[in-house]
């Protein structure tokens, strides 16, 4: 049986997963996590509810550095609800990473609070395209140190008309980054986005419905 253990993930992180009853990786996690840990770009297609969030959060939290305070990882997700969910899932893992600060940047939330947090330094930023662009325009968020970028639920994001926003955000991130794209379906516009902004991505397609 495949377990999270075999990938050399920090024991404290494994403990937290264990306590949530998460011991066996789902198929998309099994395919994506080792590639992401080794620094590859990954494009992964798997149905809703198959654990895509943890597939990118685990490698990010494993690799992110807490001895510096600049934004190193950015997760772009289409809706406020998804941003809240991802942030909650990420926060559960932060006990294993003392000093890790997470910023959730979505609309309808107190901007002043977000600005204060950005000023004090935050390594992981999770947000929706509109609010992220807001911070970028204000200069409160800088993407020059981003090393890991996630395009979450990419099909939904483009379906909602966020292509231009997403592209302008991606273009502000150094090309040396690692790019991860997760989606339930792979329509042509998502494939095109991947082709334009990803570097020889490992292509993962999970067809089974089990998890
Ligand atoms: P997706 O983004 O693929 O739609 P999520 O990442 O939101 O799906 O995961 C769906 C649910 O599965 C979440 O409640 C999550 O906690 C749970 N989950 C994720 N990975 C595992 C796992 N390896 N074992 C058990 N449950 C898991
Ligand atoms: Mg998801």
């Amino acid at each position: 049986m495949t377990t999270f253990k075999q990938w050399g993930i920090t024991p404290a992180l494994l403990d937290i997963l264990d306590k949530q009853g998460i011991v066996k990786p789902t198929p998309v996690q099994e395919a994506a996590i080792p590639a992401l840990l080794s620094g590859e770009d990954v494009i992964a297609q798997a149905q809703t509810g198959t654990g895509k969030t943890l597939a990118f959060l685990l490698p990010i939290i494993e690799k992110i550095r807490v001895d510096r305070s600049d934004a190193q990882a950015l997760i772009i997700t289409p809706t406020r609800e998804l941003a809240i969910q991802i942030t909650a899932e990420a926060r559960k893992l932060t006990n294993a990473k003392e000093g890790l600060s997470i910023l959730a940047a979505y609309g309808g939330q107190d901007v002043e609070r977000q600005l204060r947090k950005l000023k004090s330094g935050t390594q992981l930023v999770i947000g929706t395209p509109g609010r992220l662009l807001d911070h970028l325009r204000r200069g409160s968020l800088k993407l020059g140190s981003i090393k890991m970028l996630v395009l979450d639920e990419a099909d939904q994001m483009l379906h909602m008309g966020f292509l231009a926003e997403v592209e302008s955000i991606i273009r502000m991130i150094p090309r040396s980054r690692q790019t991860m794209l997760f989606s339930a379906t792979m329509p042509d516009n998502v494939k095109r986005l991947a082709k334009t902004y990803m570097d020889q991505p490992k292509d993962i397609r999970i067809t089974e419905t089990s998890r």
Side-chain angles (χ1 to χ4, degrees):
M1 180 175 110
T2 312
T3 66
F4 288 100
K5 277 208 182 81
Q6 69 203 54
W7 297 318
I9 290 164
T10 315
L13 263 175
L14 296 178
D15 271 0
I16 292 173
L17 292 180
D18 216 63
K19 288 194 178 107
Q20 295 174 50
I22 296 177
V23 265
K24 189 185 179 316
T26 64
V28 68
Q29 291 164 0
E30 190 170 340
I33 291 173
L36 291 174
L37 285 171
S38 73
E40 281 181 77
D41 279 8
V42 163
I43 172 165
Q45 175 183 4
Q47 279 190 1
T48 301
T50 53
K52 295 192 288 298
T53 312
L54 200 59
F56 57 79
L57 277 182
L58 208 55
I60 286 176
I61 292 180
E62 177 70 29
K63 293 200 289 182
I64 208 159
R65 289 178 54 174
V66 286
D67 57 341
R68 42 194 298 174
S69 62
D70 47 5
Q72 298 157 51
L74 174 67
I75 299 167
I76 313 178
T77 194
T79 66
R80 167 198 163 83
E81 288 68 30
L82 284 167
I84 292 170
Q85 269 176 39
I86 298 166
T87 305
E89 213 163 320
R91 287 206 201 285
K92 285 187 200 157
L93 303 173
T94 50
N95 273 347
K97 201 92 185 186
E98 204 184 327
L100 175 61
S101 164
I102 303 173
L103 174 76
Y106 46 82
Q109 199 206 26
D110 186 359
V111 184
E112 291 305 320
R113 205 179 140 255
Q114 291 176 11
L115 290 172
R116 276 199 302 278
K117 190 135 190 194
L118 279 166
K119 249 200 185 122
S120 68
T122 184
Q123 299 99 344
L124 171 56
V125 179
I126 301 166
T128 52
R131 181 55 63 96
L132 287 170
L133 270 178
D134 234 43
H135 281 298
L136 289 163
R137 290 199 187 104
R138 286 167 181 257
S140 43
L141 172 63
K142 301 207 165 53
L143 302 181
S145 306
I146 295 289
K147 291 173 182 62
M148 296 174 275
L149 167 69
V150 179
L151 305 172
D152 180 46
E153 309 291 358
D155 52 354
Q156 214 181 319
M157 203 135 64
L158 298 196
H159 187 72
M160 289 171 68
F162 286 131
L163 177 63
E165 281 92 340
V166 169
E167 284 193 299
S168 55
I169 296 169
I170 298 177
R171 291 203 194 102
M172 291 181 227
I173 304 173
R175 288 215 72 127
S176 55
R177 68 176 182 260
Q178 180 181 23
T179 310
M180 333 174 183
L181 184 152
F182 287 81
S183 198
T185 62
M186 280 300 158
D188 284 345
N189 57 0
V190 173
K191 284 187 197 142
R192 234 175 291 127
L193 186 72
K195 206 162 179 229
T196 312
Y197 296 104
M198 299 182 78
D199 179 21
Q200 296 176 280
K202 177 181 166 136
D203 207 328
I204 296 168
R205 206 161 314 172
I206 307 296
T207 47
E208 61 208 280
T209 51
S210 69
R211 52 169 213 185

